């Protein structure tokens, strides 16, 4: 499954960031990590479940893991 099938499009300014205008979710990718950002946690969980049907993923929340702050 490609992100485009889920309605995501890469930003023109940065091809590692994808946006879905229908649900307002951004996916920020870095090597083999990704971060989902959006206004609705239930919509984010729907996207994560759809991605998990095709790929093995691990939820390493909270976001501090991604940011390494």
């Amino acid at each position: 499954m490609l992100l485009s099938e889920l309605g995501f499009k890469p930003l023109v300014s940065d091809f590692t960031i994808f946006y879905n205008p229908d649900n307002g979710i951004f996916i920020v990718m870095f090597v083999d990590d990704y971060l989902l950002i959006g206004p609705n946690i239930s919509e984010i969980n729907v996207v994560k479940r759809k991605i998990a049907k095709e790929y093995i993923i691990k939820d390493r929340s909270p976001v501090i893991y991604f940011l390494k702050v």
Side-chain angles (χ1 to χ4, degrees):
M1 173 184 355
L2 300 173
L3 290 178
S4 60
E5 293 175 18
L6 295 175
F8 287 91
K9 297 180 182 347
L11 296 184
V12 174
S13 59
D14 190 336
F15 292 108
T16 64
I17 301 175
F18 295 81
Y19 178 65
N20 183 328
D22 296 329
N23 57 20
I25 295 175
F26 285 88
I27 297 179
V28 181
M29 302 178 86
F30 180 74
V31 186
D32 62 349
D33 292 327
Y34 67 94
L35 175 65
L36 280 81
I37 303 168
N40 187 330
I41 191 67
S42 62
E43 285 289 330
I44 290 173
N45 288 331
V46 168
V47 171
K48 286 182 353 186
R49 281 193 297 274
K50 288 179 180 179
I51 293 172
K53 287 182 181 179
E54 297 290 325
Y55 303 100
I56 298 170
I57 63 171
K58 293 181 183 177
D59 189 350
R60 298 187 184 257
S61 57
V63 72
I64 196 163
Y65 175 83
F66 186 85
L67 299 174
K68 302 204 186 331
V69 182

Short mmCIF file of all heavy atoms in Angstrom, two decimals:
data_model
loop_
_atom_site.label_atom_id
_atom_site.label_comp_id
_atom_site.label_asym_id
_atom_site.label_seq_id
_atom_site.Cartn_x
_atom_site.Cartn_y
_atom_site.Cartn_z
N MET A 1 0.84 -1.17 0.00
CA MET A 1 0.00 0.00 0.00
C MET A 1 0.89 1.25 0.00
O MET A 1 1.82 1.36 0.78
CB MET A 1 -0.89 0.00 1.24
CG MET A 1 -1.66 1.25 1.41
SD MET A 1 -2.66 1.40 2.90
CE MET A 1 -2.52 -0.12 3.71
N LEU A 2 0.61 2.11 -0.87
CA LEU A 2 1.34 3.36 -0.94
C LEU A 2 0.60 4.45 -0.20
O LEU A 2 -0.62 4.40 -0.04
CB LEU A 2 1.52 3.78 -2.40
CG LEU A 2 2.27 2.80 -3.29
CD1 LEU A 2 2.21 3.26 -4.73
CD2 LEU A 2 3.71 2.68 -2.84
N LEU A 3 1.33 5.43 0.26
CA LEU A 3 0.69 6.54 0.96
C LEU A 3 -0.30 7.26 0.06
O LEU A 3 -1.31 7.77 0.53
CB LEU A 3 1.74 7.51 1.49
CG LEU A 3 2.61 7.00 2.64
CD1 LEU A 3 3.65 8.03 3.02
CD2 LEU A 3 1.75 6.63 3.83
N SER A 4 -0.02 7.26 -1.24
CA SER A 4 -0.95 7.92 -2.16
C SER A 4 -2.31 7.23 -2.16
O SER A 4 -3.34 7.89 -2.36
CB SER A 4 -0.36 7.95 -3.57
OG SER A 4 -0.13 6.64 -4.04
N GLU A 5 -2.34 5.92 -1.94
CA GLU A 5 -3.61 5.20 -1.86
C GLU A 5 -4.42 5.62 -0.64
O GLU A 5 -5.64 5.48 -0.63
CB GLU A 5 -3.37 3.69 -1.83
CG GLU A 5 -2.81 3.14 -3.11
CD GLU A 5 -2.46 1.67 -3.00
OE1 GLU A 5 -2.96 1.00 -2.08
OE2 GLU A 5 -1.67 1.20 -3.83
N LEU A 6 -3.74 6.13 0.38
CA LEU A 6 -4.41 6.60 1.58
C LEU A 6 -4.73 8.09 1.50
O LEU A 6 -5.19 8.69 2.46
CB LEU A 6 -3.55 6.33 2.82
CG LEU A 6 -3.31 4.87 3.16
CD1 LEU A 6 -2.34 4.75 4.32
CD2 LEU A 6 -4.61 4.16 3.46
N GLY A 7 -4.44 8.71 0.35
CA GLY A 7 -4.75 10.13 0.15
C GLY A 7 -3.64 11.09 0.50
O GLY A 7 -3.85 12.29 0.54
N PHE A 8 -2.43 10.57 0.77
CA PHE A 8 -1.31 11.43 1.13
C PHE A 8 -0.54 11.86 -0.11
O PHE A 8 -0.35 11.08 -1.03
CB PHE A 8 -0.36 10.70 2.10
CG PHE A 8 -0.93 10.56 3.47
CD1 PHE A 8 -1.67 9.44 3.82
CD2 PHE A 8 -0.73 11.55 4.42
CE1 PHE A 8 -2.21 9.31 5.09
CE2 PHE A 8 -1.26 11.42 5.70
CZ PHE A 8 -2.00 10.30 6.03
N LYS A 9 -0.09 13.11 -0.07
CA LYS A 9 0.71 13.66 -1.15
C LYS A 9 1.97 14.29 -0.54
O LYS A 9 1.88 14.91 0.53
CB LYS A 9 -0.07 14.73 -1.90
CG LYS A 9 -1.32 14.20 -2.58
CD LYS A 9 -2.04 15.30 -3.30
CE LYS A 9 -3.31 14.91 -3.98
NZ LYS A 9 -3.66 13.57 -4.18
N PRO A 10 3.12 14.15 -1.21
CA PRO A 10 4.32 14.79 -0.67
C PRO A 10 4.23 16.31 -0.82
O PRO A 10 3.64 16.81 -1.77
CB PRO A 10 5.45 14.22 -1.52
CG PRO A 10 4.79 13.80 -2.78
CD PRO A 10 3.39 13.42 -2.43
N LEU A 11 4.80 17.02 0.15
CA LEU A 11 4.87 18.47 0.03
C LEU A 11 5.83 18.83 -1.09
O LEU A 11 6.83 18.14 -1.31
CB LEU A 11 5.35 19.10 1.34
CG LEU A 11 4.47 18.94 2.57
CD1 LEU A 11 5.08 19.72 3.74
CD2 LEU A 11 3.05 19.40 2.30
N VAL A 12 5.56 19.90 -1.79
CA VAL A 12 6.44 20.36 -2.86
C VAL A 12 7.79 20.79 -2.29
O VAL A 12 8.83 20.55 -2.89
CB VAL A 12 5.78 21.52 -3.64
CG1 VAL A 12 6.73 22.10 -4.68
CG2 VAL A 12 4.49 21.05 -4.30
N SER A 13 7.76 21.38 -1.11
CA SER A 13 8.98 21.91 -0.49
C SER A 13 9.84 20.85 0.19
O SER A 13 11.01 21.08 0.46
CB SER A 13 8.62 23.00 0.51
OG SER A 13 7.77 22.46 1.51
N ASP A 14 9.26 19.66 0.49
CA ASP A 14 10.01 18.62 1.20
C ASP A 14 9.35 17.26 0.92
O ASP A 14 8.26 16.99 1.39
CB ASP A 14 10.02 18.89 2.70
CG ASP A 14 10.97 17.99 3.46
OD1 ASP A 14 11.28 16.88 2.97
OD2 ASP A 14 11.40 18.39 4.55
N PHE A 15 10.04 16.43 0.16
CA PHE A 15 9.48 15.14 -0.25
C PHE A 15 9.50 14.08 0.84
O PHE A 15 9.12 12.95 0.62
CB PHE A 15 10.18 14.63 -1.51
CG PHE A 15 9.89 15.46 -2.71
CD1 PHE A 15 10.85 16.28 -3.26
CD2 PHE A 15 8.63 15.43 -3.29
CE1 PHE A 15 10.57 17.05 -4.38
CE2 PHE A 15 8.33 16.20 -4.41
CZ PHE A 15 9.30 17.01 -4.95
N THR A 16 9.95 14.43 2.04
CA THR A 16 9.91 13.49 3.16
C THR A 16 8.72 13.77 4.08
O THR A 16 8.55 13.11 5.09
CB THR A 16 11.20 13.52 3.98
OG1 THR A 16 11.35 14.81 4.58
CG2 THR A 16 12.41 13.20 3.12
N ILE A 17 7.92 14.75 3.70
CA ILE A 17 6.72 15.09 4.47
C ILE A 17 5.51 14.91 3.56
O ILE A 17 5.46 15.43 2.45
CB ILE A 17 6.77 16.53 5.01
CG1 ILE A 17 7.98 16.71 5.91
CG2 ILE A 17 5.48 16.86 5.75
CD1 ILE A 17 8.19 18.12 6.39
N PHE A 18 4.54 14.13 4.05
CA PHE A 18 3.33 13.85 3.29
C PHE A 18 2.14 14.45 4.02
O PHE A 18 2.12 14.49 5.25
CB PHE A 18 3.14 12.34 3.13
CG PHE A 18 4.21 11.70 2.30
CD1 PHE A 18 5.43 11.38 2.85
CD2 PHE A 18 3.99 11.43 0.96
CE1 PHE A 18 6.42 10.80 2.09
CE2 PHE A 18 4.98 10.85 0.19
CZ PHE A 18 6.19 10.53 0.76
N TYR A 19 1.14 14.89 3.25
CA TYR A 19 -0.04 15.53 3.84
C TYR A 19 -1.29 14.97 3.20
O TYR A 19 -1.34 14.74 1.99
CB TYR A 19 0.03 17.05 3.61
CG TYR A 19 -1.18 17.79 4.13
CD1 TYR A 19 -1.47 17.83 5.49
CD2 TYR A 19 -2.04 18.45 3.27
CE1 TYR A 19 -2.57 18.50 5.98
CE2 TYR A 19 -3.15 19.13 3.74
CZ TYR A 19 -3.41 19.16 5.09
OH TYR A 19 -4.51 19.82 5.57
N ASN A 20 -2.30 14.74 4.04
CA ASN A 20 -3.61 14.32 3.55
C ASN A 20 -4.59 15.44 3.87
O ASN A 20 -4.93 15.65 5.04
CB ASN A 20 -4.05 13.02 4.22
CG ASN A 20 -5.36 12.50 3.69
OD1 ASN A 20 -6.23 13.27 3.29
ND2 ASN A 20 -5.51 11.20 3.68
N PRO A 21 -5.05 16.17 2.84
CA PRO A 21 -5.95 17.29 3.11
C PRO A 21 -7.32 16.87 3.62
O PRO A 21 -8.03 17.67 4.23
CB PRO A 21 -6.06 17.99 1.75
CG PRO A 21 -5.67 16.95 0.76
CD PRO A 21 -4.72 16.02 1.44
N ASP A 22 -7.70 15.62 3.39
CA ASP A 22 -9.02 15.16 3.84
C ASP A 22 -9.11 15.01 5.36
O ASP A 22 -10.14 15.30 5.95
CB ASP A 22 -9.39 13.83 3.17
CG ASP A 22 -9.53 13.97 1.67
OD1 ASP A 22 -9.93 15.06 1.20
OD2 ASP A 22 -9.24 12.98 0.96
N ASN A 23 -8.02 14.53 5.98
CA ASN A 23 -8.06 14.33 7.44
C ASN A 23 -7.08 15.23 8.19
O ASN A 23 -7.02 15.19 9.41
CB ASN A 23 -7.82 12.86 7.79
CG ASN A 23 -6.51 12.32 7.27
OD1 ASN A 23 -5.60 13.07 6.96
ND2 ASN A 23 -6.41 11.01 7.16
N GLY A 24 -6.29 16.04 7.47
CA GLY A 24 -5.37 16.98 8.11
C GLY A 24 -4.15 16.36 8.75
O GLY A 24 -3.50 16.98 9.57
N ILE A 25 -3.81 15.13 8.34
CA ILE A 25 -2.69 14.42 8.95
C ILE A 25 -1.42 14.62 8.12
O ILE A 25 -1.45 14.52 6.89
CB ILE A 25 -3.00 12.92 9.09
CG1 ILE A 25 -4.15 12.72 10.07
CG2 ILE A 25 -1.76 12.14 9.55
CD1 ILE A 25 -4.62 11.29 10.20
N PHE A 26 -0.33 14.89 8.82
CA PHE A 26 0.99 14.95 8.21
C PHE A 26 1.75 13.69 8.61
O PHE A 26 1.64 13.23 9.75
CB PHE A 26 1.79 16.16 8.72
CG PHE A 26 1.35 17.47 8.16
CD1 PHE A 26 0.34 18.20 8.78
CD2 PHE A 26 1.95 17.99 7.03
CE1 PHE A 26 -0.06 19.41 8.28
CE2 PHE A 26 1.55 19.21 6.52
CZ PHE A 26 0.54 19.93 7.14
N ILE A 27 2.55 13.15 7.69
CA ILE A 27 3.49 12.08 8.01
C ILE A 27 4.88 12.61 7.70
O ILE A 27 5.18 12.96 6.56
CB ILE A 27 3.21 10.80 7.20
CG1 ILE A 27 1.83 10.24 7.54
CG2 ILE A 27 4.30 9.76 7.49
CD1 ILE A 27 1.46 8.99 6.76
N VAL A 28 5.72 12.68 8.73
CA VAL A 28 7.10 13.12 8.59
C VAL A 28 7.97 11.87 8.63
O VAL A 28 7.89 11.08 9.57
CB VAL A 28 7.49 14.08 9.73
CG1 VAL A 28 8.93 14.55 9.57
CG2 VAL A 28 6.53 15.26 9.80
N MET A 29 8.78 11.68 7.60
CA MET A 29 9.60 10.46 7.51
C MET A 29 11.08 10.81 7.64
O MET A 29 11.53 11.84 7.13
CB MET A 29 9.34 9.77 6.18
CG MET A 29 7.89 9.40 6.00
SD MET A 29 7.56 8.63 4.43
CE MET A 29 7.92 6.94 4.86
N PHE A 30 11.80 9.93 8.33
CA PHE A 30 13.25 10.05 8.44
C PHE A 30 13.82 8.64 8.48
O PHE A 30 13.63 7.91 9.45
CB PHE A 30 13.64 10.82 9.71
CG PHE A 30 15.11 10.98 9.87
CD1 PHE A 30 15.81 11.86 9.07
CD2 PHE A 30 15.80 10.22 10.79
CE1 PHE A 30 17.18 12.00 9.20
CE2 PHE A 30 17.18 10.34 10.93
CZ PHE A 30 17.87 11.24 10.13
N VAL A 31 14.50 8.27 7.42
CA VAL A 31 15.07 6.94 7.23
C VAL A 31 13.97 5.89 7.44
O VAL A 31 13.11 5.74 6.60
CB VAL A 31 16.31 6.70 8.11
CG1 VAL A 31 16.97 5.38 7.77
CG2 VAL A 31 17.31 7.84 7.97
N ASP A 32 13.99 5.16 8.55
CA ASP A 32 12.96 4.14 8.78
C ASP A 32 12.03 4.51 9.94
O ASP A 32 11.33 3.67 10.47
CB ASP A 32 13.58 2.77 9.00
CG ASP A 32 14.48 2.72 10.22
OD1 ASP A 32 14.79 3.79 10.77
OD2 ASP A 32 14.89 1.62 10.60
N ASP A 33 12.03 5.78 10.32
CA ASP A 33 11.12 6.28 11.35
C ASP A 33 10.11 7.20 10.70
O ASP A 33 10.39 7.83 9.68
CB ASP A 33 11.88 7.05 12.43
CG ASP A 33 12.77 6.16 13.27
OD1 ASP A 33 12.41 4.99 13.49
OD2 ASP A 33 13.83 6.64 13.70
N TYR A 34 8.96 7.30 11.32
CA TYR A 34 7.97 8.25 10.83
C TYR A 34 7.17 8.79 12.01
O TYR A 34 7.10 8.19 13.07
CB TYR A 34 7.05 7.61 9.80
CG TYR A 34 6.14 6.54 10.35
CD1 TYR A 34 4.86 6.86 10.77
CD2 TYR A 34 6.56 5.23 10.48
CE1 TYR A 34 4.02 5.90 11.30
CE2 TYR A 34 5.74 4.26 11.00
CZ TYR A 34 4.47 4.60 11.41
OH TYR A 34 3.65 3.65 11.94
N LEU A 35 6.62 9.97 11.78
CA LEU A 35 5.85 10.65 12.81
C LEU A 35 4.54 11.10 12.19
O LEU A 35 4.54 11.73 11.14
CB LEU A 35 6.63 11.86 13.32
CG LEU A 35 5.96 12.79 14.32
CD1 LEU A 35 5.71 12.06 15.63
CD2 LEU A 35 6.84 14.01 14.55
N LEU A 36 3.43 10.73 12.81
CA LEU A 36 2.12 11.17 12.35
C LEU A 36 1.66 12.32 13.23
O LEU A 36 1.69 12.21 14.45
CB LEU A 36 1.10 10.04 12.41
CG LEU A 36 1.17 9.05 11.25
CD1 LEU A 36 2.26 8.04 11.45
CD2 LEU A 36 -0.17 8.39 11.07
N ILE A 37 1.25 13.40 12.59
CA ILE A 37 0.79 14.59 13.29
C ILE A 37 -0.57 14.96 12.73
O ILE A 37 -0.73 15.05 11.51
CB ILE A 37 1.76 15.77 13.09
CG1 ILE A 37 3.17 15.39 13.53
CG2 ILE A 37 1.27 17.01 13.82
CD1 ILE A 37 4.23 16.38 13.09
N GLY A 38 -1.53 15.17 13.60
CA GLY A 38 -2.84 15.55 13.12
C GLY A 38 -3.76 16.00 14.23
O GLY A 38 -3.46 15.82 15.41
N PRO A 39 -4.90 16.57 13.85
CA PRO A 39 -5.82 17.12 14.84
C PRO A 39 -6.71 16.09 15.53
O PRO A 39 -7.33 16.39 16.54
CB PRO A 39 -6.68 18.09 14.02
CG PRO A 39 -6.67 17.49 12.65
CD PRO A 39 -5.32 16.86 12.49
N ASN A 40 -6.74 14.86 15.01
CA ASN A 40 -7.69 13.87 15.52
C ASN A 40 -6.97 12.54 15.74
O ASN A 40 -6.59 11.87 14.79
CB ASN A 40 -8.84 13.71 14.52
CG ASN A 40 -9.94 12.83 15.03
OD1 ASN A 40 -9.72 11.92 15.82
ND2 ASN A 40 -11.15 13.10 14.57
N ILE A 41 -6.79 12.15 16.99
CA ILE A 41 -6.05 10.92 17.31
C ILE A 41 -6.72 9.68 16.73
O ILE A 41 -6.05 8.73 16.33
CB ILE A 41 -5.80 10.78 18.82
CG1 ILE A 41 -4.81 9.66 19.12
CG2 ILE A 41 -7.09 10.57 19.58
CD1 ILE A 41 -3.42 9.90 18.65
N SER A 42 -8.05 9.67 16.67
CA SER A 42 -8.72 8.49 16.12
C SER A 42 -8.44 8.35 14.63
O SER A 42 -8.27 7.23 14.13
CB SER A 42 -10.23 8.53 16.39
OG SER A 42 -10.82 9.64 15.78
N GLU A 43 -8.33 9.46 13.90
CA GLU A 43 -7.97 9.40 12.47
C GLU A 43 -6.52 8.92 12.32
O GLU A 43 -6.21 8.16 11.40
CB GLU A 43 -8.14 10.77 11.82
CG GLU A 43 -9.56 11.16 11.57
CD GLU A 43 -10.20 10.36 10.45
OE1 GLU A 43 -9.49 9.93 9.51
OE2 GLU A 43 -11.43 10.15 10.51
N ILE A 44 -5.65 9.36 13.19
CA ILE A 44 -4.25 8.91 13.15
C ILE A 44 -4.20 7.40 13.38
O ILE A 44 -3.48 6.68 12.69
CB ILE A 44 -3.40 9.67 14.19
CG1 ILE A 44 -3.24 11.13 13.76
CG2 ILE A 44 -2.05 9.00 14.39
CD1 ILE A 44 -2.56 12.01 14.78
N ASN A 45 -4.97 6.90 14.32
CA ASN A 45 -5.00 5.46 14.60
C ASN A 45 -5.54 4.67 13.41
O ASN A 45 -5.06 3.56 13.15
CB ASN A 45 -5.80 5.18 15.86
CG ASN A 45 -5.07 5.62 17.11
OD1 ASN A 45 -3.85 5.63 17.15
ND2 ASN A 45 -5.82 6.01 18.12
N VAL A 46 -6.49 5.22 12.69
CA VAL A 46 -7.01 4.56 11.49
C VAL A 46 -5.90 4.43 10.46
O VAL A 46 -5.70 3.36 9.87
CB VAL A 46 -8.22 5.34 10.90
CG1 VAL A 46 -8.57 4.84 9.51
CG2 VAL A 46 -9.42 5.23 11.82
N VAL A 47 -5.15 5.50 10.24
CA VAL A 47 -4.05 5.47 9.28
C VAL A 47 -2.99 4.47 9.72
O VAL A 47 -2.48 3.68 8.91
CB VAL A 47 -3.45 6.88 9.09
CG1 VAL A 47 -2.17 6.83 8.27
CG2 VAL A 47 -4.47 7.81 8.44
N LYS A 48 -2.66 4.46 11.01
CA LYS A 48 -1.66 3.51 11.51
C LYS A 48 -2.10 2.07 11.30
O LYS A 48 -1.30 1.21 10.91
CB LYS A 48 -1.38 3.75 12.99
CG LYS A 48 -0.56 4.99 13.23
CD LYS A 48 -0.18 5.31 14.66
CE LYS A 48 -0.73 4.53 15.76
NZ LYS A 48 -0.38 5.05 17.09
N ARG A 49 -3.39 1.78 11.53
CA ARG A 49 -3.89 0.42 11.31
C ARG A 49 -3.80 0.02 9.84
O ARG A 49 -3.46 -1.12 9.52
CB ARG A 49 -5.32 0.29 11.81
CG ARG A 49 -5.41 0.12 13.31
CD ARG A 49 -6.80 -0.31 13.76
NE ARG A 49 -7.84 0.65 13.44
CZ ARG A 49 -8.19 1.68 14.20
NH1 ARG A 49 -7.55 1.90 15.34
NH2 ARG A 49 -9.16 2.49 13.85
N LYS A 50 -4.10 0.94 8.94
CA LYS A 50 -4.02 0.64 7.51
C LYS A 50 -2.58 0.38 7.08
O LYS A 50 -2.32 -0.53 6.30
CB LYS A 50 -4.63 1.78 6.69
CG LYS A 50 -6.14 1.84 6.81
CD LYS A 50 -6.72 2.98 6.01
CE LYS A 50 -8.24 3.02 6.15
NZ LYS A 50 -8.83 4.14 5.41
N ILE A 51 -1.67 1.17 7.59
CA ILE A 51 -0.24 0.96 7.28
C ILE A 51 0.22 -0.38 7.85
O ILE A 51 0.97 -1.13 7.21
CB ILE A 51 0.61 2.12 7.80
CG1 ILE A 51 0.28 3.41 7.02
CG2 ILE A 51 2.10 1.80 7.70
CD1 ILE A 51 0.92 4.65 7.59
N ALA A 52 -0.23 -0.72 9.06
CA ALA A 52 0.18 -1.95 9.73
C ALA A 52 -0.33 -3.20 9.01
O ALA A 52 0.21 -4.29 9.20
CB ALA A 52 -0.31 -1.96 11.17
N LYS A 53 -1.34 -3.07 8.17
CA LYS A 53 -1.81 -4.22 7.39
C LYS A 53 -0.80 -4.63 6.33
O LYS A 53 -0.78 -5.77 5.91
CB LYS A 53 -3.15 -3.90 6.72
CG LYS A 53 -4.31 -3.86 7.68
CD LYS A 53 -5.59 -3.59 6.94
CE LYS A 53 -6.76 -3.54 7.91
NZ LYS A 53 -8.02 -3.25 7.23
N GLU A 54 0.04 -3.70 5.91
CA GLU A 54 1.01 -3.96 4.85
C GLU A 54 2.45 -4.08 5.36
O GLU A 54 3.27 -4.73 4.74
CB GLU A 54 0.95 -2.85 3.80
CG GLU A 54 -0.38 -2.75 3.09
CD GLU A 54 -0.64 -3.92 2.16
OE1 GLU A 54 0.33 -4.42 1.55
OE2 GLU A 54 -1.80 -4.35 2.07
N TYR A 55 2.74 -3.39 6.45
CA TYR A 55 4.11 -3.33 6.95
C TYR A 55 4.14 -3.62 8.45
O TYR A 55 3.18 -3.34 9.16
CB TYR A 55 4.71 -1.93 6.71
CG TYR A 55 4.69 -1.52 5.26
CD1 TYR A 55 3.70 -0.67 4.77
CD2 TYR A 55 5.65 -1.99 4.38
CE1 TYR A 55 3.68 -0.30 3.44
CE2 TYR A 55 5.63 -1.63 3.05
CZ TYR A 55 4.65 -0.78 2.59
OH TYR A 55 4.61 -0.43 1.27
N ILE A 56 5.26 -4.12 8.91
CA ILE A 56 5.46 -4.31 10.34
C ILE A 56 5.87 -2.96 10.91
O ILE A 56 6.88 -2.39 10.48
CB ILE A 56 6.54 -5.37 10.61
CG1 ILE A 56 6.12 -6.71 10.06
CG2 ILE A 56 6.83 -5.45 12.10
CD1 ILE A 56 7.22 -7.75 10.07
N ILE A 57 5.08 -2.46 11.84
CA ILE A 57 5.40 -1.17 12.45
C ILE A 57 5.35 -1.31 13.96
O ILE A 57 4.71 -2.20 14.50
CB ILE A 57 4.44 -0.05 11.98
CG1 ILE A 57 3.01 -0.32 12.42
CG2 ILE A 57 4.52 0.16 10.49
CD1 ILE A 57 2.07 0.85 12.18
N LYS A 58 6.08 -0.42 14.63
CA LYS A 58 6.07 -0.35 16.09
C LYS A 58 5.69 1.06 16.48
O LYS A 58 6.22 2.03 15.95
CB LYS A 58 7.45 -0.67 16.66
CG LYS A 58 7.89 -2.08 16.45
CD LYS A 58 9.24 -2.30 17.06
CE LYS A 58 9.73 -3.71 16.79
NZ LYS A 58 11.07 -3.92 17.33
N ASP A 59 4.79 1.18 17.41
CA ASP A 59 4.40 2.48 17.93
C ASP A 59 5.32 2.79 19.09
O ASP A 59 5.27 2.16 20.14
CB ASP A 59 2.94 2.45 18.39
CG ASP A 59 2.42 3.83 18.72
OD1 ASP A 59 3.23 4.79 18.79
OD2 ASP A 59 1.21 3.95 18.92
N ARG A 60 6.18 3.75 18.90
CA ARG A 60 7.17 4.11 19.93
C ARG A 60 6.83 5.46 20.55
O ARG A 60 7.70 6.30 20.74
CB ARG A 60 8.56 4.15 19.32
CG ARG A 60 8.98 2.82 18.77
CD ARG A 60 10.42 2.91 18.34
NE ARG A 60 10.85 1.69 17.72
CZ ARG A 60 11.61 0.80 18.32
NH1 ARG A 60 11.98 0.97 19.55
NH2 ARG A 60 11.98 -0.29 17.68
N SER A 61 5.56 5.64 20.85
CA SER A 61 5.18 6.91 21.45
C SER A 61 5.79 7.01 22.84
O SER A 61 6.15 6.01 23.41
CB SER A 61 3.66 7.02 21.50
OG SER A 61 3.13 5.95 22.21
N PRO A 62 5.95 8.15 23.38
CA PRO A 62 5.55 9.46 22.89
C PRO A 62 6.51 10.01 21.85
O PRO A 62 7.53 9.40 21.55
CB PRO A 62 5.55 10.32 24.15
CG PRO A 62 6.58 9.70 25.02
CD PRO A 62 6.52 8.22 24.72
N VAL A 63 6.19 11.17 21.34
CA VAL A 63 6.95 11.77 20.26
C VAL A 63 8.40 12.06 20.64
O VAL A 63 9.24 12.19 19.78
CB VAL A 63 6.23 13.06 19.77
CG1 VAL A 63 6.36 14.16 20.78
CG2 VAL A 63 6.76 13.49 18.43
N ILE A 64 8.70 12.10 21.90
CA ILE A 64 10.07 12.38 22.32
C ILE A 64 11.05 11.35 21.75
O ILE A 64 12.20 11.65 21.50
CB ILE A 64 10.15 12.45 23.86
CG1 ILE A 64 11.45 13.11 24.30
CG2 ILE A 64 10.02 11.09 24.49
CD1 ILE A 64 11.42 13.58 25.73
N TYR A 65 10.58 10.10 21.50
CA TYR A 65 11.44 9.10 20.90
C TYR A 65 11.90 9.54 19.51
O TYR A 65 13.06 9.43 19.15
CB TYR A 65 10.70 7.76 20.79
CG TYR A 65 11.51 6.71 20.07
CD1 TYR A 65 12.47 5.97 20.75
CD2 TYR A 65 11.33 6.46 18.72
CE1 TYR A 65 13.23 5.02 20.10
CE2 TYR A 65 12.09 5.52 18.06
CZ TYR A 65 13.04 4.80 18.76
OH TYR A 65 13.79 3.87 18.10
N PHE A 66 10.99 10.09 18.74
CA PHE A 66 11.30 10.53 17.38
C PHE A 66 12.22 11.76 17.40
O PHE A 66 13.17 11.84 16.66
CB PHE A 66 10.01 10.85 16.63
CG PHE A 66 10.21 11.17 15.18
CD1 PHE A 66 10.29 10.16 14.24
CD2 PHE A 66 10.33 12.47 14.75
CE1 PHE A 66 10.46 10.43 12.90
CE2 PHE A 66 10.52 12.76 13.41
CZ PHE A 66 10.58 11.74 12.49
N LEU A 67 11.92 12.68 18.28
CA LEU A 67 12.67 13.93 18.33
C LEU A 67 14.00 13.79 19.06
O LEU A 67 14.89 14.62 18.89
CB LEU A 67 11.83 15.02 19.00
CG LEU A 67 10.52 15.34 18.29
CD1 LEU A 67 9.72 16.32 19.13
CD2 LEU A 67 10.79 15.91 16.91
N LYS A 68 14.14 12.75 19.89
CA LYS A 68 15.36 12.48 20.65
C LYS A 68 15.77 13.71 21.47
O LYS A 68 16.92 14.10 21.51
CB LYS A 68 16.47 12.02 19.74
CG LYS A 68 16.10 10.78 18.97
CD LYS A 68 17.31 10.01 18.55
CE LYS A 68 17.08 8.85 17.68
NZ LYS A 68 15.99 8.07 17.64
N VAL A 69 14.79 14.31 22.13
CA VAL A 69 15.04 15.50 22.95
C VAL A 69 15.46 15.08 24.35
O VAL A 69 14.99 14.16 24.91
CB VAL A 69 13.76 16.37 23.02
CG1 VAL A 69 14.03 17.62 23.82
CG2 VAL A 69 13.29 16.71 21.64
#
